[in-house]
Amino acid sequence: MMKELFPRKGLPNIIQKLENGDTVTIVYFGGSNTRSEGYRVMTADWLRKQYPKADIRSVNAGIDGTGSDLGCARLETDVLRHRPDLVFVEFVGNDGGDPESKARIEGIVRQIRKRSRFTDILFVYTLKERDVALFQSGEYQKGALMQEEVADYYGIPSIHLGVAVSHLVSEGKLVFTSREDVSISGAVVFTHDSIHPTIPEGHQIYTDTITRSFEKIRELQDHPGRSVHHLPQNPLVPANPWEYASMLPLDSLTDFSAGWSYMTPDDCALVREYNWLFPGLWRAVDPGEAITVQFEGTHIGLFDIGGPDSGRLKVSVDGGEPFIVDRFTLHNDHNRNQYVFLPELPNGKHTVRFEVDTEKTDKAAVFEACGNERSIEHVRQHPDWYDQTVIQLGKLLLVQPPL
């Protein structure tokens, strides 16, 4: 029998504050499963019923399609400024088995610990359909195992949400994925897309696992009183730069060529739609327009909006051979938030130039390669929308460890 809960050092500080009837802030930090009105809303409601005297404030810090790398950069803006008592961390789905994930998750933990030794952290591991067979053969996902090393090192409790789900699949009580228009008698349909649990039924299973685990952690809590969480001087991942990640306004370190314009919510419907992420967007439409960023550190990235009109960026680092970073992706039959980090650089001063490329991606071919008929049809219907080289930038992402 696989364990779903590893309690480790528990959640001593938030449990004490809840039992005292204090005000607590819980930040739910992750991807689309966290952003949706699922386990985030349901677990906060459960806690309010358990602790009617406490004032429980819940912060939605989930962003669809984002991993722990962007998480490290946006931690200050989206998590730490709320002064949380508890942070849920949910990135295993979007990180997958990326070997860098361990360093980035540790970067998140170290940033939280540096700000406050009293903030409790809880790792939750969601699952995708492809993970079910792993659980049934007695294995956790590769990405979860990497995070478990971090959890062990820092004493952070973790919950494997896949254990209960895969049991229900084995017992025939749950169908992992089924179309929305098909109902199956006697079984819960868990997702319609193999990734995102249905609301409320699928997310209820996640919620039940989390609340059951919370009760166990509460029972195990032996000594009342505030607990100071340990921050080892040395990171688990040697020379890990990710605790020095940040997200900055684009114009803080950037020179723009003449053709860039800054769009605010007053100018533009797209900026109004993404106003929860960016106060405005820097936009260029013509090949040859460029930005140049001078910074000290190991990583630079862009947090942007991609869509059918997105172009490519020709990037040169420290005057080196240019390479292409395409801002059009196989998901861009609609506008969506996205981001990219350039490969790691030696720690030091760098000058990076991003130029809108003259050449265009064959966008229909991108959709054809993954067999997406609906998107191919969208290109046929809106050829002018796709035949553009637009770049729309929201924030600068940097990793800047001390030299």
mmCIF file of all heavy atoms in Angstrom, residues 250-267:
data_model
loop_
_atom_site.group_PDB
_atom_site.id
_atom_site.type_symbol
_atom_site.label_atom_id
_atom_site.label_comp_id
_atom_site.label_asym_id
_atom_site.label_seq_id
_atom_site.Cartn_x
_atom_site.Cartn_y
_atom_site.Cartn_z
ATOM 1 N N LEU A 250 9.398 45.350 -17.253
ATOM 2 C CA LEU A 250 10.289 45.198 -18.400
ATOM 3 C C LEU A 250 11.207 46.398 -18.580
ATOM 4 O O LEU A 250 12.363 46.273 -18.983
ATOM 5 C CB LEU A 250 9.444 44.994 -19.656
ATOM 6 C CG LEU A 250 10.165 44.239 -20.757
ATOM 7 C CD1 LEU A 250 10.301 42.777 -20.407
ATOM 8 C CD2 LEU A 250 9.464 44.418 -22.067
ATOM 9 N N ASP A 251 10.704 47.608 -18.273
ATOM 10 C CA ASP A 251 11.488 48.802 -18.572
ATOM 11 C C ASP A 251 12.541 49.098 -17.499
ATOM 12 O O ASP A 251 13.266 50.086 -17.604
ATOM 13 C CB ASP A 251 10.582 50.018 -18.788
ATOM 14 C CG ASP A 251 9.565 50.188 -17.684
ATOM 15 O OD1 ASP A 251 9.558 49.353 -16.740
ATOM 16 O OD2 ASP A 251 8.758 51.126 -17.745
ATOM 17 N N SER A 252 12.659 48.220 -16.473
ATOM 18 C CA SER A 252 13.628 48.522 -15.413
ATOM 19 C C SER A 252 15.074 48.388 -15.890
ATOM 20 O O SER A 252 15.944 49.101 -15.421
ATOM 21 C CB SER A 252 13.369 47.642 -14.182
ATOM 22 O OG SER A 252 13.382 46.277 -14.553
ATOM 23 N N LEU A 253 15.332 47.465 -16.812
ATOM 24 C CA LEU A 253 16.726 47.239 -17.263
ATOM 25 C C LEU A 253 16.835 47.210 -18.789
ATOM 26 O O LEU A 253 17.814 46.726 -19.328
ATOM 27 C CB LEU A 253 17.225 45.890 -16.728
ATOM 28 C CG LEU A 253 17.351 45.716 -15.221
ATOM 29 C CD1 LEU A 253 17.560 44.248 -14.869
ATOM 30 C CD2 LEU A 253 18.500 46.540 -14.678
ATOM 31 N N THR A 254 15.815 47.703 -19.479
ATOM 32 C CA THR A 254 15.686 47.437 -20.909
ATOM 33 C C THR A 254 15.762 48.702 -21.749
ATOM 34 O O THR A 254 15.160 49.717 -21.398
ATOM 35 C CB THR A 254 14.331 46.743 -21.184
ATOM 36 O OG1 THR A 254 14.240 45.579 -20.372
ATOM 37 C CG2 THR A 254 14.197 46.319 -22.637
ATOM 38 N N ASP A 255 16.496 48.628 -22.885
ATOM 39 C CA ASP A 255 16.444 49.659 -23.921
ATOM 40 C C ASP A 255 15.535 49.154 -25.046
ATOM 41 O O ASP A 255 15.696 48.011 -25.489
ATOM 42 C CB ASP A 255 17.839 49.923 -24.498
ATOM 43 C CG ASP A 255 18.703 50.713 -23.536
ATOM 44 O OD1 ASP A 255 18.146 51.569 -22.815
ATOM 45 O OD2 ASP A 255 19.920 50.456 -23.480
ATOM 46 N N PHE A 256 14.626 50.005 -25.493
ATOM 47 C CA PHE A 256 13.675 49.630 -26.544
ATOM 48 C C PHE A 256 14.012 50.374 -27.832
ATOM 49 O O PHE A 256 14.327 51.563 -27.794
ATOM 50 C CB PHE A 256 12.243 50.032 -26.143
ATOM 51 C CG PHE A 256 11.717 49.323 -24.928
ATOM 52 C CD1 PHE A 256 11.979 49.801 -23.651
ATOM 53 C CD2 PHE A 256 10.931 48.180 -25.052
ATOM 54 C CE1 PHE A 256 11.487 49.154 -22.518
ATOM 55 C CE2 PHE A 256 10.439 47.532 -23.930
ATOM 56 C CZ PHE A 256 10.715 48.018 -22.660
ATOM 57 N N SER A 257 13.889 49.701 -28.971
ATOM 58 C CA SER A 257 13.956 50.421 -30.248
ATOM 59 C C SER A 257 12.663 51.233 -30.416
ATOM 60 O O SER A 257 11.710 51.073 -29.649
ATOM 61 C CB SER A 257 14.143 49.447 -31.414
ATOM 62 O OG SER A 257 13.011 48.591 -31.521
ATOM 63 N N ALA A 258 12.636 52.083 -31.442
ATOM 64 C CA ALA A 258 11.572 53.102 -31.537
ATOM 65 C C ALA A 258 10.173 52.528 -31.754
ATOM 66 O O ALA A 258 9.179 53.169 -31.432
ATOM 67 C CB ALA A 258 11.905 54.078 -32.664
ATOM 68 N N GLY A 259 10.098 51.306 -32.286
ATOM 69 C CA GLY A 259 8.784 50.788 -32.680
ATOM 70 C C GLY A 259 7.983 50.078 -31.594
ATOM 71 O O GLY A 259 6.928 49.525 -31.870
ATOM 72 N N TRP A 260 8.469 50.098 -30.367
ATOM 73 C CA TRP A 260 7.728 49.460 -29.276
ATOM 74 C C TRP A 260 6.707 50.441 -28.697
ATOM 75 O O TRP A 260 6.999 51.615 -28.531
ATOM 76 C CB TRP A 260 8.672 49.024 -28.152
ATOM 77 C CG TRP A 260 9.527 47.863 -28.528
ATOM 78 C CD1 TRP A 260 10.714 47.909 -29.186
ATOM 79 C CD2 TRP A 260 9.256 46.480 -28.285
ATOM 80 N NE1 TRP A 260 11.211 46.634 -29.374
ATOM 81 C CE2 TRP A 260 10.329 45.735 -28.820
ATOM 82 C CE3 TRP A 260 8.206 45.791 -27.660
ATOM 83 C CZ2 TRP A 260 10.388 44.344 -28.765
ATOM 84 C CZ3 TRP A 260 8.272 44.402 -27.592
ATOM 85 C CH2 TRP A 260 9.342 43.698 -28.146
ATOM 86 N N SER A 261 5.521 49.926 -28.362
ATOM 87 C CA SER A 261 4.550 50.783 -27.667
ATOM 88 C C SER A 261 4.095 50.076 -26.393
ATOM 89 O O SER A 261 4.059 48.843 -26.335
ATOM 90 C CB SER A 261 3.355 51.083 -28.564
ATOM 91 O OG SER A 261 2.786 49.877 -29.023
ATOM 92 N N TYR A 262 3.780 50.872 -25.385
ATOM 93 C CA TYR A 262 3.293 50.321 -24.113
ATOM 94 C C TYR A 262 1.783 50.465 -24.094
ATOM 95 O O TYR A 262 1.251 51.559 -24.229
ATOM 96 C CB TYR A 262 3.922 51.070 -22.933
ATOM 97 C CG TYR A 262 3.555 50.469 -21.595
ATOM 98 C CD1 TYR A 262 4.039 49.215 -21.216
ATOM 99 C CD2 TYR A 262 2.718 51.142 -20.711
ATOM 100 C CE1 TYR A 262 3.714 48.649 -19.991
ATOM 101 C CE2 TYR A 262 2.381 50.583 -19.477
ATOM 102 C CZ TYR A 262 2.883 49.338 -19.123
ATOM 103 O OH TYR A 262 2.548 48.783 -17.918
ATOM 104 N N MET A 263 1.096 49.327 -23.968
ATOM 105 C CA MET A 263 -0.363 49.334 -23.983
ATOM 106 C C MET A 263 -0.905 49.128 -22.577
ATOM 107 O O MET A 263 -0.454 48.242 -21.854
ATOM 108 C CB MET A 263 -0.877 48.225 -24.892
ATOM 109 C CG MET A 263 -0.371 48.323 -26.315
ATOM 110 S SD MET A 263 -1.127 47.036 -27.308
ATOM 111 C CE MET A 263 -0.720 45.575 -26.353
ATOM 112 N N THR A 264 -1.877 49.938 -22.196
ATOM 113 C CA THR A 264 -2.510 49.836 -20.881
ATOM 114 C C THR A 264 -3.922 49.287 -21.057
ATOM 115 O O THR A 264 -4.414 49.169 -22.183
ATOM 116 C CB THR A 264 -2.600 51.227 -20.222
ATOM 117 O OG1 THR A 264 -3.531 52.006 -20.977
ATOM 118 C CG2 THR A 264 -1.241 51.917 -20.198
ATOM 119 N N PRO A 265 -4.603 48.951 -19.948
ATOM 120 C CA PRO A 265 -5.979 48.452 -20.067
ATOM 121 C C PRO A 265 -6.914 49.431 -20.804
ATOM 122 O O PRO A 265 -7.870 49.003 -21.443
ATOM 123 C CB PRO A 265 -6.418 48.263 -18.613
ATOM 124 C CG PRO A 265 -5.145 48.036 -17.871
ATOM 125 C CD PRO A 265 -4.112 48.877 -18.560
ATOM 126 N N ASP A 266 -6.605 50.726 -20.728
ATOM 127 C CA ASP A 266 -7.452 51.704 -21.430
ATOM 128 C C ASP A 266 -7.323 51.587 -22.941
ATOM 129 O O ASP A 266 -8.258 51.895 -23.675
ATOM 130 C CB ASP A 266 -7.063 53.140 -21.021
ATOM 131 C CG ASP A 266 -7.310 53.378 -19.542
ATOM 132 O OD1 ASP A 266 -8.144 52.648 -18.959
ATOM 133 O OD2 ASP A 266 -6.663 54.276 -18.968
ATOM 134 N N ASP A 267 -6.116 51.138 -23.412
ATOM 135 C CA ASP A 267 -5.869 51.106 -24.858
ATOM 136 C C ASP A 267 -6.410 49.847 -25.518
ATOM 137 O O ASP A 267 -6.639 49.836 -26.712
ATOM 138 C CB ASP A 267 -4.349 51.094 -25.167
ATOM 139 C CG ASP A 267 -3.577 52.152 -24.433
ATOM 140 O OD1 ASP A 267 -4.121 53.248 -24.299
ATOM 141 O OD2 ASP A 267 -2.436 51.880 -23.986
#
